[in-house]
Amino acid sequence: MKLNTQNLSQLPERVQRPLYDRKQVQQGIVHIGVGGFHRAHQAIYTEMLLNRGKAGEWSICGVGLRSEDRAMQEALASQDYLYTLYELGDSDNPQIQVVGAIGDFLLAEDGPEALIRKLADPQTRIVSLTITEGGYCTDDSSGQFNADLPQIRHDLANPQQPKTVFGFLTEALARRRTAGIKPFTVMSCDNLPHNGQVARNALLSFAKLRDLGLHDWIAGNVSFPNAMVDRITPMTSDAHRSQLLEETGIEDAWPVVAEPFLQWVVEDRFCNGRPSWEEVGVQFTDDVTPYEEMKIRLLNGSHMAMAYLGALLGHRYAHEAMQDAQLSEFVRTYMDRDVTPLLAEVPGIDLEHYKDTLIERFSNTAICDQISRLCSDGSSKLPKFVLPTLLGQIESGAEMRRTTLILAAWCRYLRGVDERGESYPIVDPRAASLQEAACLKARLVENFLGLEDVFGHRIPASAPFVAIFRLQLERLQALGVRATLELTMAEEV
Ligand code: NAD
């Protein structure tokens, strides 16, 4: 049965569905970057409120800025913007829910003016973002916004015809300011340390280049809460679609699959109101820093620890990597001995229990989280997920073999062929230059670590780090992943 409004009443009883009249709700949130994660996280928290008869002003209008988003827009439009959340846990009865929180979907390439108007509309009070870690055009080591990128230059030269998130937000805020309309909150839900601050810095840097008065107005009036977001959401596969159809009879062009766990800790700084998300489990706080450091370094960092070594060994899913005793021991040791000693106390969290839960979540066999997904965009992820731990180790003189092995494995992975001789694509906007550096015959280590936009200055300046990196890379090349893991772990005893 095709998923749409008309067929909602015929869904099997075990499938939850919207309990509210979708025609009666207003769109107070515009969300840019409607991928899997938004649909499994923020939209679900909002749906929970809508189902309780709350948040009637806060349904969501999705937005896609890239041509790749057309497929999602068309899939959702063909089913009245309904979609299924298909929870996959290691339980017999995972939750299946049809979600109605997204009510519309605009594509920038169908006409920037319509999107600017939507953003400038007084009804829009929050603009949320999941535009990936690399979407903020910010140099990780310096924190500087990169205004030289061609798309940023384009938006500065054509303010009415923007292409990037910064061009759209700035033009909409300019119109709100002129019309005397309160601004919206800009809420990043991407996995980056201080995501609100990074979004603020990028938007203000862009606005400054356009109009100083506007820059000052944004700086004084727009809020950018930091948030820690968590729910493992793999890419939806055809196997997931067929499994859903078989189990429920629902034909959904693009369901979203996710683990049962979900968490959101966010700073309570919203300049134009917000839904009462605290009623459905969202934790509001004054300072999200300890939570985000814990989550990004332990969860996302450990994903990096399993991803490149796992890919080289030929594993395709996270649970396979966790079933590999050697690899799962490496991951847990990395959590315990490398990440944990550098974490601040996290209010209300027992770190040992948190790490146990992570191992359980990574081991979820039902969800089939793709190693290839974890490996993608390493040049944006590693500086946020792993390099802060490495820098802490360099600064404190701590032992850093395991952390360095993660980076050496990435370098080896970038050659595009695993240890069984199978090739795979490198998914990263910087793939060409990364692969070139990783495949050099001469002065490989110097050139690779010289990738300043990834490693910055301080890391390659550490002679002990460079020596260990060289050793780990040589071992991976000469002895392979298993022997390197064995040596690395044995040295720790
Ligand atoms: P996805 O590939 O399904 O969707 C990514 C979306 O971002 C797409 O709509 C894409 O068009 C958009 N996008 C990418 N680069 C952009 C840019 N420069 N400007 C504007 N839009 C851009 O990925 P996803 O699983 O939804 O994850 C998105 C982000 O959410 C991640 O990068 C991460 O920061 C965060 N997140 C994901 C998970 C997860 O498990 N998937 C968990 C926590 C946080």
Side-chain angles (χ1 to χ4, degrees), residues 32-38 63 65-66 68-69 130-135 165 189-192 229-234 295 300 373:
I32 302 179
V34 185
F37 181 63
H38 171 71
V63 165
L65 298 188
R66 301 169 16 132
E68 297 94 289
D69 290 310
T130 46
I131 54 172
T132 77
E133 293 80 15
V165 67
C189 291
D190 277 298
N191 269 330
L192 32 146
V229 292
D230 195 3
R231 183 171 218 179
I232 294 176
T233 310
K295 190 265 173 175
N300 302 104
R373 177 183 85 86

Side-chain angles (χ1 to χ4, degrees), residues 62-99:
V63 165
L65 298 188
R66 301 169 16 132
S67 41
E68 297 94 289
D69 290 310
R70 186 168 295 280
M72 177 69 82
Q73 191 270 345
E74 286 180 354
L76 292 183
S78 76
Q79 48 198 43
D80 304 322
Y81 304 103
L82 293 166
Y83 65 91
T84 319
L85 168 75
Y86 189 19
E87 258 182 28
L88 290 172
D90 287 330
S91 81
D92 295 338
N93 198 16
Q95 191 173 343
I96 306 179
Q97 177 179 8
V98 169
V99 181

Side-chain angles (χ1 to χ4, degrees), residues 80-350:
D80 304 322
Y81 304 103
L82 293 166
Y83 65 91
T84 319
L85 168 75
Y86 189 19
E87 258 182 28
L88 290 172
D90 287 330
S91 81
D92 295 338
N93 198 16
Q95 191 173 343
I96 306 179
Q97 177 179 8
V98 169
V99 181
I102 297 180
D104 197 1
F105 198 134
L106 300 175
L107 287 174
E109 60 178 25
D110 285 346
E113 183 56 28
L115 175 49
I116 296 168
R117 283 201 190 149
K118 180 76 185 173
L119 292 165
D121 188 319
Q123 220 177 71
T124 300
R125 293 158 63 195
I126 295 176
V127 176
S128 49
L129 312 174
T130 46
I131 54 172
T132 77
E133 293 80 15
Y136 293 81
C137 307
T138 296
D139 182 307
D140 289 296
S141 52
S142 66
Q144 295 278 314
F145 180 67
N146 188 350
D148 285 334
L149 294 171
Q151 65 272 31
I152 297 294
R153 286 177 185 224
H154 168 277
D155 281 11
L156 287 168
N158 304 277
Q160 312 291 324
Q161 301 281 322
K163 293 187 172 165
T164 74
V165 67
F166 307 107
F168 276 105
L169 295 186
T170 306
E171 177 58 20
L173 287 166
R175 292 192 194 181
R176 290 176 89 110
R177 177 180 176 229
T178 307
I181 300 168
K182 268 177 117 173
F184 42 72
T185 296
V186 177
M187 181 174 73
S188 168
C189 291
D190 277 298
N191 269 330
L192 32 146
H194 318 308
N195 50 12
Q197 229 164 289
V198 173
R200 181 176 196 271
N201 178 55
L203 187 65
L204 285 177
S205 304
F206 181 91
K208 196 173 197 172
L209 294 168
R210 203 185 125 168
D211 171 348
L212 202 52
L214 178 61
H215 163 275
D216 294 347
W217 184 77
I218 295 175
N221 294 283
V222 177
S223 55
F224 299 80
N226 292 304
M228 179 270 246
V229 292
D230 195 3
R231 183 171 218 179
I232 294 176
T233 310
M235 294 178 281
T236 307
S237 69
D238 285 341
H240 291 132
R241 286 185 181 86
S242 320
Q243 202 179 330
L244 178 69
L245 177 64
E246 224 167 84
E247 250 183 70
T248 62
I250 299 176
E251 236 174 90
D252 185 335
W254 208 324
V256 62
V257 283
E259 63 171 345
F261 181 93
L262 82 167
Q263 190 177 18
W264 191 6
V265 185
V266 55
E267 289 172 1
D268 201 356
R269 292 191 284 113
F270 288 76
C271 61
N272 198 351
R274 64 164 174 84
S276 50
W277 280 312
E278 69 278 9
E279 291 180 40
V280 287
V282 178
Q283 188 180 342
F284 285 93
T285 173
D286 293 338
D287 181 11
V288 87
T289 311
Y291 299 93
E292 67 182 14
E293 279 189 0
M294 167 190 79
K295 190 265 173 175
I296 288 176
R297 296 189 191 189
L298 281 173
L299 187 153
N300 302 104
S302 300
H303 267 159
M304 299 286 94
M306 82 172 76
Y308 301 113
L309 291 164
L312 290 170
L313 286 168
H315 295 311
R316 287 171 52 220
Y317 298 108
H319 68 266
E320 289 174 1
M322 295 311 287
Q323 283 162 2
D324 180 327
Q326 214 187 0
L327 203 47
S328 65
E329 191 197 350
F330 175 73
V331 170
R332 180 68 200 225
T333 312
Y334 173 68
M335 286 185 188
D336 290 341
R337 306 218 4 222
D338 297 283
V339 182
T340 307
L342 292 164
L343 288 178
E345 183 113 340
V346 192
I349 305 260
D350 172 351

